[in-house]
Amino acid sequence: MQVPVMDMNGKQVKTIDLPADIFEIEVNVGLMHQAYVRQMANARLGTHNTKTRSEVQMTGAKMYRQKGTGRARHGAQSAPIFVGGGIAHGPKPRKYTKNMPRKMRQKAIRCALSALMRDNQLVFVDKLVMDAPKTKEIRQVLKNLVGDSSALVLLGNKNEPIEMSVRNMADAMSLRANYLNMRDLLGYDKVIVPLDALEVITSLWGKKE
């Protein structure tokens, strides 16, 4: 598949061939969903905790006498039905981590890239270069490339001027290509792919002979 490559002004400078084993595979939505759920679950700390009736700081004395009041009989104010009492069946610290085979995770990324390519959400750029961090400048570059759409900017390697410039934008984010993940790939309208980032993607997620 041939795609156009833009410069930072949004003008086409050439075309390139994309590897079919990454950008033209059949999209498996179920696999992508599984990878997304795994990523979000593994990001959870699981530190939530509630106190049961045996853990709350409450007197153990009987609230009032057993008989003669006309009210229901109760043994302690720490019961879950009372304000300040314990929580019944509340959350306790636990792990939410899910496992997924490496080959399935890799195929999920390829499916996501193919889906983005199919929906014309990938924008290829010959290079992204800035001398110093400048949010105004990177905002104009992104407007040239994707208009007013939100954008994920992929980077082939460390690029502090670009990373620091994009960091100040609410509708854009930079990400190094070797950290591709389902949440970030599917969270933006457009994905900007410089050619050095494309090389990283091809080397990591291309099928090995």
Side-chain angles (χ1 to χ4, degrees):
M1 175 189 295
Q2 282 202 337
V3 295
V5 177
M6 309 295 182
D7 61 13
M8 294 175 63
N9 296 317
K11 302 296 178 66
Q12 180 176 341
V13 292
K14 61 179 178 179
T15 60
I16 57 171
D17 288 316
L18 294 180
D21 60 341
I22 300 178
F23 295 95
E24 294 183 68
I25 69 171
E26 182 179 355
V27 177
N28 187 332
V29 177
L31 184 65
M32 292 168 58
H33 178 263
Q34 183 179 346
Y36 178 83
V37 169
R38 170 191 172 272
Q39 180 180 352
M40 299 306 291
N42 290 355
R44 297 185 67 174
L45 296 179
T47 54
H48 43 46
N49 188 29
T50 54
K51 292 183 178 181
T52 65
R53 62 184 299 172
S54 66
E55 295 171 325
V56 294
Q57 290 290 334
M58 191 76 67
T59 176
K62 190 170 175 65
M63 295 174 62
Y64 46 79
R65 60 196 174 100
Q66 179 84 346
K67 295 179 178 295
T69 65
R71 299 178 63 185
R73 54 196 176 189
H74 291 291
Q77 200 169 352
S78 59
I81 64 172
F82 296 117
V83 174
I87 302 297
H89 311 296
K92 289 291 184 180
R94 55 165 290 198
K95 290 184 178 180
Y96 286 91
T97 54
K98 296 178 180 292
N99 294 323
M100 189 175 181
R102 179 173 55 87
K103 288 186 177 181
M104 291 178 66
R105 300 197 306 267
Q106 290 176 338
K107 186 172 181 180
I109 293 294
R110 290 196 290 266
C111 285
L113 291 170
S114 295
L116 292 171
M117 190 70 242
R118 178 195 63 192
D119 298 336
N120 298 317
Q121 292 180 264
L122 295 181
V123 178
F124 295 91
V125 188
D126 57 348
K127 59 183 177 180
L128 289 177
V129 179
M130 293 179 62
D131 296 329
K134 193 75 173 178
T135 301
K136 182 177 180 180
E137 182 178 334
I138 196 65
R139 182 178 285 115
Q140 183 61 48
V141 171
L142 297 187
K143 188 170 185 179
N144 295 337
L145 295 173
V146 300
D148 295 327
S149 302
S150 62
L152 175 66
V153 182
L154 299 184
L155 301 172
N157 45 47
K158 185 176 180 179
N159 190 331
E160 285 191 0
I162 298 292
E163 292 172 350
M164 296 178 68
S165 300
V166 174
R167 187 185 304 167
N168 292 328
M169 299 181 62
D171 57 351
M173 172 183 167
S174 65
L175 180 71
R176 297 182 195 177
N178 55 330
Y179 294 131
L180 275 188
N181 61 86
M182 297 299 298
R183 182 191 64 184
D184 293 332
L185 275 178
L186 303 180
Y188 295 86
D189 298 330
K190 300 287 186 179
V191 179
I192 297 175
V193 188
L195 295 186
D196 57 348
L198 179 60
E199 292 179 4
V200 175
I201 292 173
T202 304
S203 63
L204 290 178
W205 283 279
K207 289 187 177 179
K208 307 297 189 294
E209 297 296 340

